[in-house]
Amino acid sequence: MMNFCNKRWYCLALFFCWSFTASAQSTLQTPAQFLGYQLGDQFTYHSRLVEYVKYLAAQNPQKMQLQTYGHTYENRPLLLATLSSPANLQRLDEIKSNNLKNTGLLGGQTTGGKQPAIVWLSYNIHGNEAVSSEAVLQVLYDLLDPSNAQAQKWLENTVVLVDPCVNPDGRERYTQWYNRVRNQQPNASPWAWEHQEPWPGGRPNHYYFDLNRDWAWQTQVESKQRAVVYNQWMPQLHADFHEQAVDNPYYFAPSAKPYHDAITPWQREAQNFIGEYNRKYFDRNNWLYFTRENFDLFYPSYGDTWPTYQGAIAMTYEQGGSGRAGVVIQKSDGDSLTLAQRIAHHHAASLATVEAMSDKADQVVKEFKKFYADAQSRPFGTYRSYVFAMKGQEGRLRELTEYLDRQQIRYGYAGSAGTAKGFLYQTGKNETVKYAAGDLVISAYQPKSTLLNVLFEPNARLEDSVTYDITAWSLPYAYGLKGAALTSKVAMKEPKPAAGVANAAVPEAYAYLVKWTGVQDIKFLATLLKAKVRVRYSEVPFEQNKETFAAGSLVITRAGNESLGTRFDQLVTRAADSLGIQLATATTGFVTSGSDFGSRNIRHIKAPRVALLTGEGVSAYGFGEVWHYFEQQIGYPVTVLGADYFASVPLSEFDVLILPTGSYSRILDEKTLGKVKDWVRAGGRLIAMESAVSFLADKPDFAVKKKAAEPASSGKKEATEEDLKRYADRERESISEEVQGSVFRVTLDNTHPLAFGYGNSYAALIRTASLPQYLKDGWNVGVVKQEGPATGFVGSKVGAKLENGLVLGVQGLGRGQVVYLVDNPLFRAFWQGGKLLFGNAVFMVGQ
């Protein structure tokens, strides 16, 4: 095993074996001189990383600009460094403007002159993949070093944008832990404490979201702020630096299949030439690497795919190590992997990428311009327009257009009614589609048409079923919209600035009414409940003043709110105005159909005291999705309970307990689970999600049951030729029993409070290969019948495990309720159509 302290190996790792190392005559401090230790000796705290980047900018104003483009949830700065030659930096605004004009996102003609290639390098999006933010310090130094003639030449042809740490909160969680527990002399044994990162790990951000799955959805504050700056630049290349398992060699482009159909021949070719430049550096140093495996270009919300669908050349770089590796770790082959070696590899890949873009700058800029010219005149894909009915889904379309604005995807409204051929999302069929004047229209003839078509296409064609992530994401399903993808253009009017909703206070109003249609209505309810306003909902549809209100509609009567006095009207109207909700006013408690407002069918909503379980055994991602929902999406208080002390918590303090997906065998032992059941019987509401449902299945008192295993055939069956399998096909064989994030149409009982606000079906993103049986004792609110998926990959052997299965169910237990959410309606916070459903589980069920 290699000795970590062996100076010869250490110097080899940091020498990097190329001619542009720092000059002894340079006055610019190296990372080692500034930090007081060699890169690779320890992990650098984020604050020190920021200090060095600021130092470099202050020392090199002619070649480097630094901006703080935002802050994390924990208020750490998000930085972007811009590096180029002094001549380019002096005309930086012109370069940026010309690039946007080339895309069509900015009107006018370019001012002429040579246009450098714009290169964006992102480091440390996964916090415990911390080596890349160590490497970036050396990368920045080498690009700025005046004695480095090669790097100075590269900067004449490129503008290099560097995000030194995309996920500061996750990085700091990791570095604080590692620097606290490591031995003074780093221990290479993989069993040492310093290689056993504890729950939840440093990979995700503050809310435990994987930021590398959030590029397109932009649900997290880091992603939203970064996307704003990205859209101001629109780089021709984006490189994202990661780590993988300890024993893996380095990975760089070209990417693995599947490639999405939208990826152009030029972008495919560019994957190869970027790889060639990397191979030159790695071959020179005899470093092991691999290409064209594991990391594909399909799911649209990665750091390599979201930029690709916007015309960039984009790739992932993966270094072996990750959070487990620490400063040094022994690999399974007996050799050791050091932090210094990992830094050297990412450093080499970074500079190889900049060199490639410098050498190919003219062609890169030319092809990027062509990508956007084609996007506007002959867009990728089958569909030329997307149309969505406005009536009845105003709230959901408001959420969609806010998303489109962030993506710089243009839209308008149908100038007149019409018909066209197309694909109807709610039926999954190609047919003649009718649309009305004023319906939302999104044309494919626009600069961001490729991104648009990838995000909205009903079925993404999968050229290879072995893929890294979910295979279905179509936004009309994600938002639960009624609409169609059309094969022809639809004439539209440009959108006008939306007029803000201004609800007038009506002191003589008997009640204010709100239709229950989307997440904005949950926010409205949460706001009122926090303000101590008494709110009711109707269990049945009703009609008043010739307007129909579906079950679940909110009824906010003056009766019961007398103590608020004149504040009652102000609280209700201001909350509605802030969320763009149009209130209806009732002057009487009598309805022309349905139940009058004094009926027992008009239920009072008691403000629930909500508890959420977290800690070791609970999925950090699953917990984070629920935590984020309460704190950032609806603004309602939630009490987080630790698994390590949950057994001693007085559950009578809470009305709702949420079990995110996780492994509960240790958390809920027989005694603790009995305590939970007693609490439910006394009136509590238990919400079990995903694998928490599997844990409860078949246990006494719980109605959810696993499907019976298929009966074994009688007698022994001899192996036949059909049973012969090739070893090389083992990965492909394994996915025959998987579901890779596919959309299914779930049949709903929308008379139950869990499904209020929905029609008779719901588009669910199913990620499990087996569903429970229908409930015999309870309410089967959402079920999958015998139809296959609406879109996405499902393994050939899954079949019966999903048919006639439970997705959403509710069971009465004593005076309480158990809600089963087999599908996670809050997945990655981008599945907008599920957020109302989860709100129903919290606020409506059991009231």
Side-chain angles (χ1 to χ4, degrees), residues 673-832:
L673 185 58
K675 174 183 171 181
V676 171
K677 287 192 286 188
D678 290 343
W679 167 78
V680 175
R681 290 189 182 98
R685 196 178 325 149
L686 180 66
I687 301 175
M689 304 177 70
E690 298 186 278
S691 60
V693 177
S694 300
F695 170 76
L696 298 177
D698 299 324
K699 286 187 167 53
D701 302 315
F702 291 101
V704 66
K705 307 294 180 185
K706 295 177 183 177
K707 286 185 178 178
E710 295 182 11
S713 57
S714 58
K716 292 184 178 180
K717 178 185 175 184
E718 294 185 0
T720 67
E721 188 171 346
E722 293 179 357
D723 298 308
L724 299 179
K725 298 177 182 178
R726 294 177 68 244
Y727 179 76
D729 294 334
R730 63 194 183 282
E731 183 178 15
R732 201 166 305 281
E733 284 287 330
S734 68
I735 65 171
S736 65
E737 299 183 5
E738 294 182 4
V739 174
Q740 293 180 268
S742 302
V743 175
F744 282 77
R745 290 186 178 86
V746 175
T747 301
L748 292 178
D749 172 8
N750 62 7
T751 67
H752 192 283
L754 184 58
F756 282 169
Y758 292 84
N760 56 15
S761 67
Y762 159 65
L765 186 64
I766 302 294
R767 295 175 299 117
T768 178
S770 179
L771 295 175
Q773 300 176 21
Y774 294 160
L775 300 179
K776 291 184 178 180
D777 181 16
W779 304 104
N780 294 282
V781 182
V783 299
V784 168
K785 296 188 176 178
Q786 293 183 344
E787 298 179 2
T791 178
F793 175 83
V794 173
S796 60
K797 297 181 181 179
V798 174
K801 296 179 182 179
L802 294 178
E803 291 178 357
N804 302 316
L806 177 74
V807 177
L808 309 167
V810 179
Q811 166 200 353
L813 182 59
R815 293 190 290 113
Q817 308 273 325
V818 182
V819 179
Y820 301 111
L821 303 180
V822 182
D823 159 61
N824 178 8
L826 303 180
F827 180 66
R828 292 183 184 165
F830 91 96
W831 205 256
Q832 296 289 331

Side-chain angles (χ1 to χ4, degrees), residues 463-640:
E463 66 174 340
D464 191 321
S465 53
V466 180
T467 185
Y468 202 65
D469 210 280
I470 63 173
T471 58
W473 54 77
S474 184
L475 290 185
Y477 293 123
Y479 279 77
L481 296 172
K482 296 177 181 178
L486 307 179
T487 55
S488 59
K489 295 175 72 171
V490 172
M492 68 178 187
K493 298 178 180 178
E494 293 299 318
K496 297 178 180 178
V501 174
N503 291 287
V506 184
E508 66 274 16
Y510 184 93
Y512 294 102
L513 310 176
V514 172
K515 294 180 178 180
W516 191 248
T517 61
V519 70
Q520 76 281 354
D521 303 313
I522 303 172
K523 296 178 187 177
F524 175 70
L525 173 61
T527 301
L528 295 187
L529 293 179
K530 288 190 297 181
K532 309 299 183 185
V533 177
R534 291 175 65 86
V535 182
R536 294 173 168 81
Y537 74 89
S538 178
E539 280 196 320
V540 296
F542 66 90
E543 181 182 283
Q544 192 182 68
N545 295 330
K546 299 182 179 180
E547 188 171 5
T548 300
F549 294 83
S553 295
L554 302 182
V555 180
I556 311 154
T557 59
R558 195 170 298 275
N561 287 301
E562 294 88 350
S563 62
L564 296 174
T566 57
R567 291 180 59 240
F568 169 71
D569 299 280
Q570 295 174 350
L571 288 169
V572 175
T573 56
R574 287 177 182 174
D577 290 350
S578 68
L579 295 165
I581 293 173
Q582 186 64 57
L583 297 171
T585 305
T587 57
T588 175
F590 176 78
V591 298
T592 50
S593 68
S595 295
D596 297 332
F597 296 160
S599 166
R600 65 180 181 180
N601 290 326
I602 310 299
R603 312 284 294 182
H604 169 243
I605 301 175
K606 176 187 174 185
R609 300 168 297 171
V610 182
L612 170 62
L613 195 57
T614 191
E616 189 167 357
V618 177
S619 163
Y621 293 146
F623 159 69
E625 287 160 354
V626 181
W627 189 24
H628 186 267
Y629 176 84
F630 281 100
E631 291 212 324
Q632 296 295 326
Q633 297 175 47
I634 69 170
Y636 191 80
V638 60
T639 300
V640 176

